[in-house]
Amino acid sequence: MTNQTNTYSQQMAIRLRQIMNHLDLTVAGFAVFINRDASHIYGILNVSRDFSDALAEHIGKLTGIKGATIKNINAEIPASISKCESIVEFRKNYKANPEYFLNTKTDRSIDAFVCDVLALTEFLKTPKYLNEIEKFVELEYDKTFVDDSLSKALRYAATKGILLKDKKPIILNSGKYGKRMLDVYWTNPDKPIKL
């Protein structure tokens, strides 16, 4: 596989994960929703299998967006797909299966939230301080974490290679840099999505 092909496959894996995040589905849930084998989904996410045009069209029919939009890395995946009729029906029919839904998985594990959801956001494409990440999570996901649990989860994601970590000087209230060094985190662009 050439570097260019590998990069495209990684972008397609991220697209698929974004769709799953919008739909609030785990791999198991998404596989049932689109009537495909979970190994097929894992293959795309792990960049060992192509994300075919036929699959994009199939997902598009279920979510109400064009397959071409799904595969266009410059097009935004609309968050409104979370309200499409087929996913509303799916939630109703499978509400007794918590392993199908991300919200139940992330409620159980902050590590899963950081690795499976937060690491794939545009927000973490550039280095961010812990306090910036906390504000983003609170605003975007209406989540707050006790003590230093978010900090621990970010460090865990960095040890797994999902996030990159470095030290930067603290930004003071005046906007200037202080002497104290703090950790910053951002998504590792070279890390294929592992589940």
Side-chain angles (χ1 to χ4, degrees), residues 98-109:
E99 71 277 6
Y100 286 178
F101 303 99
L102 279 176
N103 67 356
T104 54
K105 181 178 179 184
T106 55
D107 286 347
R108 290 190 308 268
S109 168

Side-chain angles (χ1 to χ4, degrees), residues 110 130 134 147-156 183 185:
I110 184 173
L130 175 63
E134 284 173 331
D147 304 323
D148 63 345
S149 58
L150 180 58
S151 178
K152 284 180 181 173
L154 290 167
R155 285 195 302 270
Y156 170 78
D183 290 330
Y185 300 91

Side-chain angles (χ1 to χ4, degrees), residues 8 14 23 28 35 37 40 57-58 60 63 69 71 75 87 94 110 115 133 159 177:
Y8 179 73
I14 290 169
L23 297 175
N35 196 24
D37 196 76
H40 188 136
E57 286 297 327
H58 178 67
T63 58
T69 302
K71 293 199 67 178
I87 194 65
Y94 291 96
I110 184 173
C115 295
I133 297 170
T159 61
Y177 289 105

Side-chain angles (χ1 to χ4, degrees), residues 3-165:
N3 268 356
Q4 194 171 7
T5 306
N6 196 32
T7 300
Y8 179 73
S9 296
Q10 287 174 349
Q11 289 170 332
M12 288 298 98
I14 290 169
R15 293 292 281 183
L16 186 60
R17 178 59 83 182
Q18 288 170 340
I19 292 166
M20 290 167 54
N21 286 346
H22 281 318
L23 297 175
D24 186 42
L25 295 176
T26 62
V27 171
F30 189 68
V32 172
F33 177 64
I34 67 168
N35 196 24
R36 293 290 189 277
D37 196 76
S39 64
H40 188 136
I41 311 304
Y42 281 117
I44 296 168
L45 294 174
N46 290 323
V47 194
S48 62
R49 186 175 194 148
D50 285 337
F51 188 171
S52 70
D53 292 344
L55 181 60
E57 286 297 327
H58 178 67
I59 294 167
K61 282 182 184 144
L62 290 169
T63 58
I65 55 176
K66 291 187 168 107
T69 302
I70 289 172
K71 293 199 67 178
N72 180 354
I73 58 172
N74 297 314
E76 192 73 28
I77 299 285
S80 61
I81 66 171
S82 67
K83 294 173 177 61
C84 69
E85 192 177 319
S86 58
I87 194 65
V88 170
E89 189 71 21
F90 182 84
R91 282 191 200 105
K92 202 170 16 171
N93 293 339
Y94 291 96
K95 64 183 175 201
N97 299 72
E99 71 277 6
Y100 286 178
F101 303 99
L102 279 176
N103 67 356
T104 54
K105 181 178 179 184
T106 55
D107 286 347
R108 290 190 308 268
S109 168
I110 184 173
D111 291 335
F113 172 74
V114 169
C115 295
D116 296 345
V117 178
L118 191 60
L120 297 174
T121 62
E122 293 289 316
F123 178 75
L124 278 182
K125 279 198 168 179
T126 57
K128 297 290 189 288
Y129 292 95
L130 175 63
N131 65 338
E132 294 174 302
I133 297 170
E134 284 173 331
K135 283 179 194 161
F136 175 77
V137 168
E138 190 171 351
L139 286 170
E140 287 293 312
Y141 299 98
D142 197 26
K143 283 182 177 288
T144 53
F145 300 104
V146 294
D147 304 323
D148 63 345
S149 58
L150 180 58
S151 178
K152 284 180 181 173
L154 290 167
R155 285 195 302 270
Y156 170 78
T159 61
K160 300 283 281 177
I162 293 165
L163 295 180
L164 297 175
K165 177 178 133 176

